[in-house]
């Protein structure tokens, strides 16, 4: 399937908004719930949402694949990234946790280059560089410096593991449709995350249950969008648009927890938004961009 950078950017931005909403819901639910419970619920809800699709087309057809290794690798790195991300959400301010997790696009060009031989073009390098500058501007030590050292390190690790998982999607998306990739992730991740419940089970309150169910639903939608995005365009290109989660998360943090942004943080948000919009317009003006297949 030929690359479609414009469509890839569209799906990536939708996914970024969904993941920002999920982050806020998870942070709210994590006040009285262990990380193991939250990860399992998110995976299990995603599996329930995808079940009607599998039943409609037939379970055997929905799971028909010869890319077992690719699915297992993608799911393995994805579940580790999820554990790290949710831990960071529970121990850090929302904006800082999102910023650390969305260091993922900074790793993507290197992972994609090493794994898929997708040599980044000057345009992609510029996008990644500007995105890094925008995120650096938003990390205001005076306003977003809370949390623990462990949470900070684990949050950064989630970005690296997430980058490997996303490149894994790119590698198998030439034969695997987005719903099948997400279904395999839901199956494998639910099985893995169910094991710790033997010692970490806590019965949620009604409010916690609603928050976690909503987070699972929003995350599944975001995962479907992101999977489609990485199937449409090279990993480094799509990764640039993941930065949209930063200003969206900052807005949610301000509305819900009254976390405010400094002038330099607002400048960083404006830079990220301008970058995404500018690249999307540029992609739409040309039928074919000079990005590798």
């Amino acid at each position: 399937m030929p690359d479609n950078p414009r469509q890839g950017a569209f799906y990536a931005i939708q996914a970024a908004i969904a993941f920002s909403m999920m982050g806020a819901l998870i942070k709210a639910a994590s006040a009285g719930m262990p990380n193991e419970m939250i990860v399992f619920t998110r995976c299990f809800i995603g599996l329930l949402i995808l079940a009607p699709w599998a039943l409609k087309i037939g379970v055997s057809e929905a799971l028909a694949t010869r890319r077992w290794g690719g699915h297992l690798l993608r799911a393995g790195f994805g579940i580790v990234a999820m554990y790290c991300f949710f831990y960071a959400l529970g121990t850090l301010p929302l904006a800082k946790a999102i910023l650390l997790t969305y260091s993922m696009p900074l790793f993507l060009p290197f992972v994609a280059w090493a794994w898929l031989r997708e040599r980044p073009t000057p345009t992609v390098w510029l996008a990644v560089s500007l995105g890094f500058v925008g995120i650096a501007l938003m990390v205001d030590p005076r306003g977003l410096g809370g949390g623990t050292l462990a949470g900070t390190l684990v949050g950064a690790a989630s970005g690296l593991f997430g980058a490997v998982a996303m490149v894994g999607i790119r590698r198998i998306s030439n034969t695997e449709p987005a719903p099948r990739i997400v279904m395999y992730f839901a199956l494998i991740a639910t099985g893995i995350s169910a094991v710790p419940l033997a010692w970490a089970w806590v019965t949620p309150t009604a409010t916690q249950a609603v928050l976690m169910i909503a987070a699972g639903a929003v995350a599944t939608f975001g995962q479907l969008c992101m999977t489609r995005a990485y199937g449409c365009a090279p990993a480094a290109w799509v990764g640039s648009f993941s930065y949209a989660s930063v200003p969206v998360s900052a807005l949610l943090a301000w509305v819900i927890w009254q976390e405010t942004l400094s002038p330099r943080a607002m400048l960083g948000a404006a830079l990220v938004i301008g970058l995404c919009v500018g690249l999307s317009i540029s992609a739409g003006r040309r039928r074919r961009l000079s990005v590798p297949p």
Side-chain angles (χ1 to χ4, degrees), residues 42 45-46 49 212-222:
R42 181 261 178 263
I45 294 301
I49 291 173
M212 290 193 296
I213 290 172
V218 172
T220 302
F221 172 76

Side-chain angles (χ1 to χ4, degrees), residues 35-218:
N35 192 33
E36 295 89 345
M37 281 287 299
I38 295 174
V39 172
F40 170 77
T41 303
R42 181 261 178 263
C43 297
F44 183 64
I45 294 301
L47 184 60
L48 290 180
I49 291 173
L50 291 169
W53 167 78
L55 293 174
K56 180 179 180 180
I57 70 172
V59 175
S60 59
E61 182 177 348
L63 299 179
T65 184
R66 295 181 178 178
R67 309 293 292 274
W68 297 101
H71 284 292
L72 185 60
L73 189 66
R74 178 266 182 276
F77 279 102
I79 192 65
V80 174
M82 188 184 299
Y83 273 111
C84 293
F85 178 34
F86 289 1
Y87 178 85
L89 284 172
T91 58
L92 300 175
L94 177 64
K96 184 174 181 179
I98 295 293
L99 286 168
L100 288 170
T101 298
Y102 277 87
S103 64
M104 178 179 67
L106 300 179
F107 295 106
L108 275 170
F110 307 104
V111 176
W113 194 356
W115 192 356
L116 303 181
R117 299 296 185 266
E118 291 182 355
R119 183 182 296 273
T121 65
T123 299
V124 171
W125 281 120
L126 177 62
V128 171
S129 300
L130 290 177
F132 179 82
V133 171
I135 286 183
L137 287 172
M138 292 191 69
V139 179
D140 187 340
R142 295 165 297 177
L144 299 177
T148 65
L149 176 60
T152 300
L153 294 176
V154 171
S158 70
L160 174 58
F161 290 124
V164 179
M166 291 302 102
V167 175
I169 291 174
R170 174 69 174 169
R171 185 165 184 170
I172 63 177
S173 62
N174 60 332
T175 61
E176 305 297 281
R180 183 184 299 158
I181 295 174
V182 178
M183 172 62 81
Y184 266 103
F185 174 79
L187 280 170
I188 297 171
T190 299
I192 294 173
S193 62
V195 175
L197 296 185
W199 61 84
W201 174 266
V202 174
T203 302
T205 65
T207 299
Q208 289 169 337
V210 170
L211 289 172
M212 290 193 296
I213 290 172
V218 172

Side-chain angles (χ1 to χ4, degrees), residues 5-6 123 237 276-289:
R6 187 176 184 179
T123 299
W237 173 263
C276 293
V277 173
L279 286 177
S280 184
I281 293 174
S282 176
R285 286 176 177 173
R286 291 176 285 180
R287 285 185 63 186
R288 185 182 180 89
L289 297 180

